[in-house]
Amino acid sequence: MLVVVSTFMSLWTRKISLINKNVFFTTGLLNYLIVAIVGVWLSLAYNNFSLPTLPSGNLPLYLVGVGFFIPLSWLAQYKLVYLVGAANGAIATTISYITSALFGFLFLAEGLTVTFGIGSILLVTATYISLTIRADQKHKTTNKSRSLKIFLVLVSSLALALGLLFEKHSVDVAGYWNYLFYGWTMQLLGASVIWLIFGRKELKQVNKRNVLYGLSLGLVVSLSGTTFVYALSKGTLSATVMVTSAKITLTVVLAAVFLKERNELTKRLVALALAIVGLSFILW
């Protein structure tokens, strides 16, 4: 379920990023508006429409971390998918899975093995190759854009690692359903702050179509996020993130079929093979 939902989210994100290319931060804000609404509704429904217990102890700190790092990571990944396409983006974001797992090893007492190191090297190689492939026949790759792609990968991977660390602690302390209320509301707050700083100038370009597509993306992200956080609450951080990586094969196949991301096929297959082998080593 998680793999299928995540794959659909990747494909839909690519489509929306092309349609809403001039309202980048506004799309992020609309996305997190729906995410917060869905999170609050699910939490209230589970608690018989009673407010969850107020955050206490270290939970407010964890929620602040979630509210800042998760939207930052999502925005970087969203921009990356716009530049490289859904298939290349799915492979490139495996770097985020490596950093997330490393944070799990460092701070959550999860195991570390030699095979993880080998797998990480293979994933880094796969990511680099994917960044050299054009999204499709209509989009050209330049040295400048490649530098931007590398920057986005680094920002998204580090932000996601920190965000998932705070998210894991928040879920452990607050519980799954209470986290949906507070954690996803804080993500909206973080996205709002980012929009106020960088996105207000986009208002002149926003139209009804942009709004509808941005809200629809929020629904897809909410579904993906719900399944991911639930899986996160049931297992270790590294295992959850690595299993999610299985979506890359399905994403590459479906992106080729529906988004016509079939150019430079040999390089795509090499990057995909390296990613799959790398994940196999990591999951060994």
mmCIF file of all heavy atoms in Angstrom, residues 65-90:
data_model
loop_
_atom_site.group_PDB
_atom_site.id
_atom_site.type_symbol
_atom_site.label_atom_id
_atom_site.label_comp_id
_atom_site.label_asym_id
_atom_site.label_seq_id
_atom_site.Cartn_x
_atom_site.Cartn_y
_atom_site.Cartn_z
ATOM 1 N N GLY A 65 10.766 20.970 15.343
ATOM 2 C CA GLY A 65 11.671 20.376 14.368
ATOM 3 C C GLY A 65 10.921 19.802 13.188
ATOM 4 O O GLY A 65 11.323 19.982 12.027
ATOM 5 N N VAL A 66 9.825 19.108 13.466
ATOM 6 C CA VAL A 66 8.984 18.558 12.392
ATOM 7 C C VAL A 66 8.444 19.674 11.510
ATOM 8 O O VAL A 66 8.470 19.594 10.278
ATOM 9 C CB VAL A 66 7.818 17.750 12.995
ATOM 10 C CG1 VAL A 66 6.768 17.456 11.928
ATOM 11 C CG2 VAL A 66 8.326 16.441 13.585
ATOM 12 N N GLY A 67 7.955 20.737 12.152
ATOM 13 C CA GLY A 67 7.324 21.833 11.426
ATOM 14 C C GLY A 67 8.254 22.577 10.500
ATOM 15 O O GLY A 67 7.814 23.148 9.487
ATOM 16 N N PHE A 68 9.544 22.574 10.812
ATOM 17 C CA PHE A 68 10.502 23.274 9.956
ATOM 18 C C PHE A 68 11.135 22.357 8.914
ATOM 19 O O PHE A 68 11.146 22.656 7.719
ATOM 20 C CB PHE A 68 11.601 23.920 10.792
ATOM 21 C CG PHE A 68 12.672 24.575 9.958
ATOM 22 C CD1 PHE A 68 12.429 25.778 9.316
ATOM 23 C CD2 PHE A 68 13.917 23.983 9.805
ATOM 24 C CE1 PHE A 68 13.398 26.386 8.529
ATOM 25 C CE2 PHE A 68 14.899 24.574 9.029
ATOM 26 C CZ PHE A 68 14.639 25.788 8.386
ATOM 27 N N PHE A 69 11.640 21.215 9.351
ATOM 28 C CA PHE A 69 12.459 20.385 8.462
ATOM 29 C C PHE A 69 11.639 19.589 7.444
ATOM 30 O O PHE A 69 12.086 19.411 6.301
ATOM 31 C CB PHE A 69 13.335 19.434 9.293
ATOM 32 C CG PHE A 69 14.450 20.133 10.005
ATOM 33 C CD1 PHE A 69 14.455 20.231 11.391
ATOM 34 C CD2 PHE A 69 15.489 20.703 9.301
ATOM 35 C CE1 PHE A 69 15.487 20.885 12.056
ATOM 36 C CE2 PHE A 69 16.532 21.363 9.946
ATOM 37 C CZ PHE A 69 16.519 21.446 11.328
ATOM 38 N N ILE A 70 10.464 19.103 7.813
ATOM 39 C CA ILE A 70 9.668 18.323 6.862
ATOM 40 C C ILE A 70 9.213 19.186 5.674
ATOM 41 O O ILE A 70 9.399 18.785 4.514
ATOM 42 C CB ILE A 70 8.464 17.667 7.554
ATOM 43 C CG1 ILE A 70 8.923 16.615 8.574
ATOM 44 C CG2 ILE A 70 7.544 17.032 6.523
ATOM 45 C CD1 ILE A 70 9.605 15.407 7.972
ATOM 46 N N PRO A 71 8.630 20.381 5.887
ATOM 47 C CA PRO A 71 8.267 21.208 4.730
ATOM 48 C C PRO A 71 9.480 21.635 3.900
ATOM 49 O O PRO A 71 9.396 21.699 2.667
ATOM 50 C CB PRO A 71 7.586 22.431 5.370
ATOM 51 C CG PRO A 71 7.080 21.938 6.677
ATOM 52 C CD PRO A 71 8.125 20.961 7.148
ATOM 53 N N LEU A 72 10.598 21.921 4.558
ATOM 54 C CA LEU A 72 11.804 22.304 3.827
ATOM 55 C C LEU A 72 12.256 21.174 2.911
ATOM 56 O O LEU A 72 12.594 21.393 1.738
ATOM 57 C CB LEU A 72 12.919 22.669 4.804
ATOM 58 C CG LEU A 72 14.274 23.032 4.184
ATOM 59 C CD1 LEU A 72 14.141 24.275 3.306
ATOM 60 C CD2 LEU A 72 15.312 23.259 5.283
ATOM 61 N N SER A 73 12.253 19.955 3.440
ATOM 62 C CA SER A 73 12.637 18.800 2.633
ATOM 63 C C SER A 73 11.666 18.591 1.479
ATOM 64 O O SER A 73 12.075 18.326 0.342
ATOM 65 C CB SER A 73 12.677 17.539 3.511
ATOM 66 O OG SER A 73 12.921 16.395 2.725
ATOM 67 N N TRP A 74 10.367 18.707 1.763
ATOM 68 C CA TRP A 74 9.366 18.497 0.714
ATOM 69 C C TRP A 74 9.522 19.514 -0.409
ATOM 70 O O TRP A 74 9.460 19.155 -1.598
ATOM 71 C CB TRP A 74 7.958 18.593 1.292
ATOM 72 C CG TRP A 74 6.898 18.245 0.291
ATOM 73 C CD1 TRP A 74 6.384 17.008 0.032
ATOM 74 C CD2 TRP A 74 6.248 19.150 -0.630
ATOM 75 N NE1 TRP A 74 5.459 17.087 -0.976
ATOM 76 C CE2 TRP A 74 5.358 18.373 -1.406
ATOM 77 C CE3 TRP A 74 6.343 20.518 -0.855
ATOM 78 C CZ2 TRP A 74 4.562 18.948 -2.389
ATOM 79 C CZ3 TRP A 74 5.565 21.089 -1.847
ATOM 80 C CH2 TRP A 74 4.675 20.302 -2.602
ATOM 81 N N LEU A 75 9.750 20.773 -0.073
ATOM 82 C CA LEU A 75 9.900 21.806 -1.090
ATOM 83 C C LEU A 75 11.126 21.543 -1.973
ATOM 84 O O LEU A 75 11.086 21.730 -3.194
ATOM 85 C CB LEU A 75 10.015 23.182 -0.426
ATOM 86 C CG LEU A 75 8.714 23.768 0.124
ATOM 87 C CD1 LEU A 75 9.001 24.981 0.998
ATOM 88 C CD2 LEU A 75 7.762 24.146 -1.004
ATOM 89 N N ALA A 76 12.225 21.102 -1.350
ATOM 90 C CA ALA A 76 13.430 20.790 -2.117
ATOM 91 C C ALA A 76 13.188 19.605 -3.050
ATOM 92 O O ALA A 76 13.601 19.617 -4.215
ATOM 93 C CB ALA A 76 14.597 20.504 -1.169
ATOM 94 N N GLN A 77 12.500 18.580 -2.555
ATOM 95 C CA GLN A 77 12.194 17.420 -3.393
ATOM 96 C C GLN A 77 11.220 17.783 -4.515
ATOM 97 O O GLN A 77 11.332 17.290 -5.650
ATOM 98 C CB GLN A 77 11.610 16.297 -2.535
ATOM 99 C CG GLN A 77 12.615 15.660 -1.594
ATOM 100 C CD GLN A 77 12.038 14.484 -0.834
ATOM 101 O OE1 GLN A 77 11.100 13.849 -1.294
ATOM 102 N NE2 GLN A 77 12.591 14.194 0.330
ATOM 103 N N TYR A 78 10.268 18.634 -4.216
ATOM 104 C CA TYR A 78 9.292 19.085 -5.219
ATOM 105 C C TYR A 78 9.997 19.815 -6.359
ATOM 106 O O TYR A 78 9.731 19.564 -7.542
ATOM 107 C CB TYR A 78 8.273 20.000 -4.534
ATOM 108 C CG TYR A 78 7.254 20.621 -5.452
ATOM 109 C CD1 TYR A 78 6.244 19.862 -6.027
ATOM 110 C CD2 TYR A 78 7.284 21.993 -5.719
ATOM 111 C CE1 TYR A 78 5.293 20.438 -6.849
ATOM 112 C CE2 TYR A 78 6.340 22.580 -6.543
ATOM 113 C CZ TYR A 78 5.347 21.804 -7.111
ATOM 114 O OH TYR A 78 4.414 22.378 -7.917
ATOM 115 N N LYS A 79 10.924 20.693 -6.000
ATOM 116 C CA LYS A 79 11.692 21.417 -7.015
ATOM 117 C C LYS A 79 12.581 20.454 -7.805
ATOM 118 O O LYS A 79 12.742 20.599 -9.027
ATOM 119 C CB LYS A 79 12.554 22.483 -6.344
ATOM 120 C CG LYS A 79 13.282 23.402 -7.318
ATOM 121 C CD LYS A 79 12.305 24.291 -8.057
ATOM 122 C CE LYS A 79 13.014 25.354 -8.880
ATOM 123 N NZ LYS A 79 12.068 26.273 -9.564
ATOM 124 N N LEU A 80 13.130 19.472 -7.123
ATOM 125 C CA LEU A 80 13.983 18.488 -7.788
ATOM 126 C C LEU A 80 13.198 17.680 -8.817
ATOM 127 O O LEU A 80 13.676 17.455 -9.941
ATOM 128 C CB LEU A 80 14.617 17.555 -6.752
ATOM 129 C CG LEU A 80 15.604 16.515 -7.294
ATOM 130 C CD1 LEU A 80 16.833 17.198 -7.869
ATOM 131 C CD2 LEU A 80 16.002 15.544 -6.185
ATOM 132 N N VAL A 81 12.010 17.256 -8.458
ATOM 133 C CA VAL A 81 11.166 16.501 -9.391
ATOM 134 C C VAL A 81 10.815 17.362 -10.601
ATOM 135 O O VAL A 81 10.759 16.862 -11.730
ATOM 136 C CB VAL A 81 9.886 15.999 -8.686
ATOM 137 C CG1 VAL A 81 8.887 15.460 -9.693
ATOM 138 C CG2 VAL A 81 10.237 14.919 -7.672
ATOM 139 N N TYR A 82 10.599 18.642 -10.390
ATOM 140 C CA TYR A 82 10.334 19.551 -11.504
ATOM 141 C C TYR A 82 11.516 19.577 -12.474
ATOM 142 O O TYR A 82 11.341 19.591 -13.692
ATOM 143 C CB TYR A 82 10.061 20.959 -10.982
ATOM 144 C CG TYR A 82 10.087 22.020 -12.056
ATOM 145 C CD1 TYR A 82 9.055 22.114 -12.993
ATOM 146 C CD2 TYR A 82 11.153 22.917 -12.142
ATOM 147 C CE1 TYR A 82 9.079 23.085 -13.992
ATOM 148 C CE2 TYR A 82 11.186 23.879 -13.134
ATOM 149 C CZ TYR A 82 10.161 23.967 -14.050
ATOM 150 O OH TYR A 82 10.187 24.915 -15.045
ATOM 151 N N LEU A 83 12.731 19.560 -11.949
ATOM 152 C CA LEU A 83 13.928 19.665 -12.774
ATOM 153 C C LEU A 83 14.310 18.348 -13.447
ATOM 154 O O LEU A 83 14.750 18.342 -14.601
ATOM 155 C CB LEU A 83 15.108 20.156 -11.933
ATOM 156 C CG LEU A 83 15.033 21.596 -11.420
ATOM 157 C CD1 LEU A 83 16.204 21.886 -10.487
ATOM 158 C CD2 LEU A 83 15.033 22.591 -12.585
ATOM 159 N N VAL A 84 14.167 17.212 -12.731
ATOM 160 C CA VAL A 84 14.710 15.951 -13.249
ATOM 161 C C VAL A 84 13.646 14.934 -13.647
ATOM 162 O O VAL A 84 13.963 13.916 -14.266
ATOM 163 C CB VAL A 84 15.671 15.304 -12.225
ATOM 164 C CG1 VAL A 84 16.768 16.266 -11.834
ATOM 165 C CG2 VAL A 84 14.930 14.804 -10.986
ATOM 166 N N GLY A 85 12.389 15.161 -13.304
ATOM 167 C CA GLY A 85 11.337 14.217 -13.622
ATOM 168 C C GLY A 85 11.044 13.266 -12.482
ATOM 169 O O GLY A 85 11.809 13.172 -11.513
ATOM 170 N N ALA A 86 9.959 12.537 -12.600
ATOM 171 C CA ALA A 86 9.521 11.634 -11.536
ATOM 172 C C ALA A 86 10.471 10.463 -11.347
ATOM 173 O O ALA A 86 10.830 10.099 -10.221
ATOM 174 C CB ALA A 86 8.106 11.130 -11.825
ATOM 175 N N ALA A 87 10.880 9.834 -12.456
ATOM 176 C CA ALA A 87 11.740 8.653 -12.369
ATOM 177 C C ALA A 87 13.115 8.997 -11.809
ATOM 178 O O ALA A 87 13.604 8.360 -10.868
ATOM 179 C CB ALA A 87 11.875 8.007 -13.746
ATOM 180 N N ASN A 88 13.768 10.010 -12.387
ATOM 181 C CA ASN A 88 15.073 10.424 -11.887
ATOM 182 C C ASN A 88 14.974 10.921 -10.441
ATOM 183 O O ASN A 88 15.866 10.690 -9.625
ATOM 184 C CB ASN A 88 15.656 11.525 -12.767
ATOM 185 C CG ASN A 88 16.041 11.022 -14.145
ATOM 186 O OD1 ASN A 88 16.402 9.869 -14.309
ATOM 187 N ND2 ASN A 88 15.945 11.889 -15.142
ATOM 188 N N GLY A 89 13.879 11.607 -10.143
ATOM 189 C CA GLY A 89 13.689 12.107 -8.784
ATOM 190 C C GLY A 89 13.562 10.989 -7.770
ATOM 191 O O GLY A 89 14.081 11.075 -6.664
ATOM 192 N N ALA A 90 12.865 9.911 -8.167
ATOM 193 C CA ALA A 90 12.696 8.764 -7.261
ATOM 194 C C ALA A 90 14.041 8.129 -6.926
ATOM 195 O O ALA A 90 14.287 7.723 -5.792
ATOM 196 C CB ALA A 90 11.773 7.730 -7.887
#
